[in-house]
């Protein structure tokens, strides 16, 4: 796929702003809703957000470093996705509001951890920083710098594919979190109001 880099970055910015709006809606929910799990292996809303925060903790410094070593471009830049980048982005895509099950990288798996609702505000902070980086990327060639992935420092993606992956990965797990809220039994919500 070839696309004008500025158009791609503006699309990613728009999607990122929408993701922050979704998480702001989660802030209005009760703690019991945010921590609800359908079973011991499924993730709660807070676990989905903590997982995304782990990815931001990993990728944001790498993105800043890549930009600090890049030189500004002149003229129109066409971004061309790489084979591996496209593969990872497609893995993250959802179908008909359903999330395909996958195993998380063990270091990024928040299941069975004690989490607080401040994961939500942390995510919004990371989104703000990520949006600023997307804006900064408009001045650079996003084909050139490569970023290591969480899988291995030897498995790398272009800056543009890394940005695409982060946004698609966020969309995947925010949909998972939204779907989790839909599975909360009515009695559970009533109890939290009464208590």
């Amino acid at each position: 796929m070839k696309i004008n880099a500025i158009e791609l970055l503006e699309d990613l910015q728009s999607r990122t702003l929408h993701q922050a709006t979704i998480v702001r809606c989660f802030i209005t929910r009760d703690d019991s809703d945010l921590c609800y799990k359908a079973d011991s292996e499924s993730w709660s809303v807070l676990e989905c957000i903590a997982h995304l925060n782990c990815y931001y903790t990993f990728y944001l410094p790498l993105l800043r470093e890549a930009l600090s070593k890049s030189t500004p471009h002149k003229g129109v830049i066409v971004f061309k996705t790489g084979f591996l980048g496209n593969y990872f982005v497609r893995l993250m895509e959802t179908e008909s509001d359903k999330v395909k099950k996958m195993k998380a990288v063990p270091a990024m798996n928040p299941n069975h951890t004690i989490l607080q609702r401040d994961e939500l505000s942390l995510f919004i902070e990371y989104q703000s920083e990520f949006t600023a980086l997307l804006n900064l990327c408009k001045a650079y060639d996003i084909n050139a710098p490569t970023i290591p992935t969480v899988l291995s420092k030897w498995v790398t993606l272009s800056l543009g594919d890394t940005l695409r992956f982060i946004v698609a990965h966020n969309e995947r797990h925010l949909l998972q979190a939204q779907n989790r809220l839909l599975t909360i039994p009515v009695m559970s919500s009533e109890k939290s109001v009464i208590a």
Side-chain angles (χ1 to χ4, degrees):
M1 170 181 96
K2 289 183 180 179
I3 185 171
N4 178 291
I6 301 296
E7 289 175 17
L8 171 65
L9 291 165
E10 287 176 353
D11 175 61
L12 296 177
Q13 277 184 305
S14 173
R15 290 161 63 189
T16 299
L17 292 172
H18 177 69
Q19 293 165 6
T21 301
I22 291 169
V23 175
R24 283 189 186 91
C25 291
F26 293 160
I27 290 173
T28 65
R29 301 299 291 248
D30 293 333
D31 287 354
S32 59
D33 290 350
L34 297 175
C35 296
Y36 175 76
K37 294 166 68 91
D39 56 63
S40 66
E41 294 308 309
S42 66
W43 287 358
S44 68
V45 170
L46 286 182
E47 287 170 333
C48 291
I49 301 302
H51 174 69
L52 296 178
N53 287 342
C54 287
Y55 271 75
Y56 272 135
T57 301
F58 179 83
Y59 280 111
L60 285 173
L62 295 173
L63 294 171
R64 285 191 298 268
E65 182 183 349
L67 283 174
S68 73
K69 294 177 180 176
S70 298
T71 54
H73 71 75
K74 294 177 179 154
V76 176
I77 295 291
V78 173
F79 173 69
K80 184 178 179 206
T81 62
F83 173 78
L84 196 56
N86 233 18
Y87 173 76
F88 284 141
V89 169
R90 289 201 175 168
L91 272 179
M92 295 299 113
E93 290 176 346
T94 58
E95 297 172 10
S96 305
D97 289 340
K98 294 192 180 181
V99 179
K100 296 176 263 180
K101 288 193 174 192
M102 286 183 187
K103 281 205 172 246
V105 175
M108 303 289 182
N109 188 341
N111 202 8
H112 306 299
T113 57
I114 297 171
L115 300 168
Q116 303 295 321
R117 65 184 306 120
D118 61 354
E119 291 290 337
L120 302 173
S121 54
L122 181 59
F123 178 81
I124 292 169
E125 286 176 34
Y126 284 147
Q127 287 289 79
S128 178
E129 186 177 346
F130 184 67
T131 302
L133 280 170
L134 287 170
N135 197 46
L136 189 59
C137 284
K138 291 177 183 176
Y140 296 91
D141 181 354
I142 59 174
N143 291 291
T146 58
I147 313 281
T149 66
V150 296
L151 300 175
S152 165
K153 66 180 181 178
W154 307 113
V155 179
T156 63
L157 301 177
S158 70
L159 174 59
D161 278 334
T162 302
L163 299 171
R164 291 175 60 232
F165 170 79
I166 291 169
V167 171
H169 183 251
N170 286 350
E171 287 172 341
R172 169 187 170 74
H173 289 292
L174 289 176
L175 178 59
Q176 180 183 6
Q178 290 174 304
N179 287 345
R180 176 60 57 232
L181 290 175
L182 295 176
T183 66
I184 298 173
V186 175
M187 293 299 289
S188 173
S189 294
E190 289 175 4
K191 284 181 187 172
S192 64
V193 171
I194 294 169

